[in-house]
Amino acid sequence: MRLLLVEDDHALAESLGQRLRAEGFAVDIAGNGVDAEHLGREEAYDVAVLDLGLPKKSGVEVLGSWRAAGRDFPVLVLTARDAWQDKIAAFKLGADDYVTKPFHDEEVIVRLQALIRRAHGRARPVIESHGLVLDEDDQSLRLPDGTQTQLTAMEYRLLHYFMLNEGKVLSKSRLAEHLYEYDDERDSNVIEVYINRLRQLIGRERITTRRGQGYVYGGPA
Ligand code: CA
């Protein structure tokens, strides 16, 4: 899952960004409203955390601009304790949830996970699919024989994205857009390497190749 974190408090952005990366998100950070507006309109985010008090352009304006451009990823806004008018303005423009500062990172994380689940029509924090059980909380995978495996960050990001998009053809470029951060080098050969690693783990037949199109995750044939 690719996440845009918009926060002008540099220390807060860095520490929250680290926590989010540890939870399996690919995180881009914007420190002002203009950069945030641009990134949110141009890049393929799955979710965003948006501070409302920003330099150059307010969070409310940024959100309005994203929505006007048809960007419909879930947005969690960060607000000051007494800023109830901002909160209402943000919801009217299409915010999905909010957290009041100061907050515990854990609360932001569980709210983001819930937003992503709901965006994919799911209610539970585990994804079960054809005998595989992927746990969002500790990024572990249970195989059909009951073996529990701890996934690496990239394995988790990739499998999570496949499982949320079961049956869809996912091109390498789409996978790269949703799995890598802005500054990462997007080498599509590396994605192939990770896909082969996942196939070894869960069985080759679960991720099929559509020549010239991409990959499809599904159950064993
Ligand atoms: Ca701020």
Side-chain angles (χ1 to χ4, degrees), residues 152-166:
T152 65
M154 196 56 176
E155 287 167 352
Y156 173 79
R157 280 188 207 169
L158 186 57
L159 184 58
H160 188 236
Y161 198 73
F162 268 124
M163 289 174 88
L164 286 176
N165 292 285
E166 182 170 345

Side-chain angles (χ1 to χ4, degrees), residues 129-130 166 205-207 217-221:
S129 161
H130 309 284
E166 182 170 345
E205 67 287 357
R206 288 180 189 265
I207 302 175
Y217 169 84

Side-chain angles (χ1 to χ4, degrees), residues 198-217:
L198 276 185
R199 281 172 167 158
Q200 282 168 20
L201 193 64
I202 64 177
R204 297 203 67 79
E205 67 287 357
R206 288 180 189 265
I207 302 175
T208 50
T209 304
R210 297 270 176 90
R211 209 153 287 288
Q213 298 183 323
Y215 302 92
V216 181
Y217 169 84

